[in-house]
């Protein structure tokens, strides 16, 4: 149903959009709110899901279009360098309008939706994936929810951004579908369920195509999305394995050398919390086949020798972007390997082997870090038995109006 004369937000559709793009580590989403024909946005910042839900009808009534970031971002940094996790593969298929000041015709919208459907079918068949289509008012959006993949350093963010670009362009070309050519990690999309109001005084409804969206059964819809996210691991791996152009490939060794500062220590402490393998290696909570005493306790990480375990630790430290001096300092305090027993030549050789390994096996390391990242605890359903989700979501808005 088109409510363009009196635009009423579809709150259930909005909640589905949140589910597709995934939870945020700090529960803050990047949101941009802007009126048509204005230079500056009404709002550009980070809000929680509840804060957004409480404001979107008011923004809609003010004639604003609402965009939301498709990936997780550092609060205060809406550039590609600020994207901390890859959570969504996104395609924007615009309707081919002769006059951009007028809404797309039904035929033009249908052509865009058919293009989105063709691209979705191609990706789903090739990568055993599942994607979801929405009408964006003047075209179509195609979103594939991914297992949120951590991007721990700016260098890797640049590299993954290039991989996403290359993968998206290549895939759309292979499918024979013309798409918008903006594929950056920082990309935002219209918040589905709100209104596309880029043409002044002409609000256009956005909605999910109903092959998966059950407005009266969000639990079923969310389960479909959850299953899709798990199924799309193969798609994620394909993105990570996408080759880079030689001119854009970033060698591991370009990191400028700096001392082991308090900031570097804080970074290490935070990474130890996020990656249990890194913490286990630093604490020597591992099993080493040549040291039977280490096998008396159950453990998750097994190595043939101290040297192998030591090299695994070095690889992780290089991968996470620590400088050579910082790595040497960290290794001095490690409890595994022969680092403190051998000479500088041994240390140099071991460090260079780790750098070479990272250069040759970036995709495998990225996939391993995804597997190591603890999954967030499931979110409990806040609704009581028998409650109407739409009524619950509208309460804050109605209280504000009354």
């Amino acid at each position: 149903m088109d409510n363009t004369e009196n635009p009423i937000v579809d709150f259930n559709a909005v909640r589905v959009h949140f589910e597709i793009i995934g939870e945020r580590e700090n529960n803050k989403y990047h949101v941009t709110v802007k009126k048509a024909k204005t230079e500056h946005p009404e709002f550009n910042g980070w809000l929680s899901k509840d804060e957004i839900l409480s404001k979107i009808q008011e923004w809609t009534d003010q004639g604003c279009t609402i965009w939301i970031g498709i990936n997780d971002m550092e609060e205060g940094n809406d550039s590609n360098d600020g994207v901390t996790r890859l959570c969504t593969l996104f395609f924007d298929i615009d309707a081919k309008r002769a006059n951009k000041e007028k809404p797309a015709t039904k035929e033009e919208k249908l052509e865009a939706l058919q293009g989105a459907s063709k691209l979705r079918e191609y990706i789903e068949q090739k990568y055993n994936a599942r994607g979801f289509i929405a009408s964006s008012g003047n075209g179509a959006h195609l979103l594939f929810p991914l297992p949120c993949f951590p991007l721990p350093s700016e260098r890797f963010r640049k590299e993954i951004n290039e991989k996403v670009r290359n993968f998206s362009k290549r895939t759309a070309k292979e499918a024979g579908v013309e798409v918008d050519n903006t594929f950056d990690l920082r990309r935002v999309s219209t918040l589905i369920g709100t209104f596309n109001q880029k043409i002044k005084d002409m609000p256009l409804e956005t909605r999910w195509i109903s092959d998966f969206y059950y407005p009266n059964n969000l639990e079923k819809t969310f389960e479909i999305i959850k299953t899709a996210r798990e199924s799309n691991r193969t798609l994620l791996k394909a993105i990570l394995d996408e080759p880079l152009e030689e001119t854009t490939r970033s060698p591991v060794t370009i990191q400028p050398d700096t001392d082991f500062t308090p900031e570097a220590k804080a970074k290490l402490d935070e990474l130890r919390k996020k990656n249990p393998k890194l913490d286990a290696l630093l604490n020597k909570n591992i099993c080493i086949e040549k040291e039977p005493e280490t096998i008396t306790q159950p453990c998750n990480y097994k190595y043939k020798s101290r040297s192998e375990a030591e090299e695994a630790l070095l690889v992780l430290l290089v991968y996470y972007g620590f400088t050579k001096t910082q790595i040497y300092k960290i290794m001095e305090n490690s409890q595994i390997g022969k680092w403190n027993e051998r000479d500088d030549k041994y240390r140099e050789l071991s460090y260079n082997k780790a750098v070479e390994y990272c250069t040759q096996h970036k995709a495998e390391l990225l996939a391993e870090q995804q597997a190591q990242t603890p999954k967030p605890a499931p979110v409990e359903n806040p609704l009581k038995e028998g409650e109407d989700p739409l009524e619950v979501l509208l309460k804050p808005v109605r209280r504000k109006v009354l």
Side-chain angles (χ1 to χ4, degrees), residues 31-167:
V31 185
T32 301
V33 182
K34 195 171 183 289
K35 291 182 179 178
K37 304 296 183 182
T38 58
E39 182 178 355
H40 301 291
E42 299 295 306
F43 178 83
N44 181 46
W46 279 256
L47 295 172
S48 70
K49 187 186 301 183
D50 289 340
E51 287 171 331
I52 295 170
L53 288 169
S54 71
K55 293 176 182 291
I56 51 179
Q57 186 62 60
E58 179 183 345
W59 284 332
T60 298
D61 294 341
Q62 293 171 357
C64 297
T65 301
I66 305 163
W67 290 275
I68 191 163
I70 61 173
N71 293 308
D72 205 349
M73 306 179 76
E74 293 175 358
E75 187 168 356
N77 186 353
D78 62 358
S79 69
N80 286 323
D81 290 344
V83 177
T84 58
R85 295 193 303 161
L86 170 65
C87 296
T88 315
L89 178 65
F90 174 81
F91 295 91
D92 185 7
I93 300 92
D94 287 326
K96 298 177 181 178
R97 294 176 287 156
N99 186 350
K100 297 295 184 180
E101 298 300 316
K102 293 184 179 181
T105 65
K106 288 184 179 179
E107 293 74 18
E108 290 167 341
K109 291 179 182 179
L110 178 60
E111 182 182 9
L113 288 169
Q114 288 173 337
S117 180
K118 181 180 179 181
L119 180 56
R120 180 178 70 172
E121 182 178 357
Y122 177 82
I123 294 174
E124 287 183 341
Q125 290 183 356
K126 186 169 183 178
Y127 300 104
N128 192 29
R130 178 72 190 272
F132 306 108
I133 297 174
S135 170
S136 60
N138 273 321
H141 288 172
L142 173 59
L143 299 93
F144 289 86
L146 303 173
C148 283
F149 184 84
L151 308 175
S153 69
E154 288 186 7
R155 185 181 72 236
F156 281 104
R157 293 166 195 175
K158 287 183 172 69
E159 184 171 309
I160 296 303
N161 189 63
E162 195 66 28
K163 285 177 177 284
V164 169
R165 283 182 185 175
N166 292 352
F167 179 88

Side-chain angles (χ1 to χ4, degrees), residues 268 272 277-284 286 303 306-320 322 327 330-337 339 354 358:
L268 179 64
R272 293 179 72 164
K277 179 180 178 181
L278 175 63
D279 189 62
L281 283 166
L282 287 168
N283 286 331
K284 201 181 177 181
I286 57 176
Y303 300 92
R306 286 196 298 156
S307 297
E308 184 180 274
E310 180 181 82
E311 196 63 28
L313 176 56
L314 281 166
V315 165
L316 280 179
L317 295 175
V318 172
Y319 166 82
Y320 281 127
F322 289 100
I327 291 174
I330 295 169
M331 293 301 296
E332 285 177 10
N333 297 317
S334 71
Q335 301 178 47
I336 61 173
W339 191 267
C358 284

Side-chain angles (χ1 to χ4, degrees), residues 237-274:
K237 185 177 186 303
I239 295 170
L240 300 178
D241 288 341
E242 184 71 15
L244 293 172
E245 299 291 337
E246 288 300 323
T247 55
T248 60
R249 190 183 301 274
S250 299
V252 173
T253 52
I254 63 170
Q255 187 79 356
D257 203 15
T258 57
D259 292 334
F260 190 70
T261 61
E263 290 77 14
K265 183 180 185 305
K267 174 183 175 180
L268 179 64
D269 291 343
E270 186 63 27
L271 286 169
R272 293 179 72 164
K273 294 176 184 177
K274 293 182 177 180

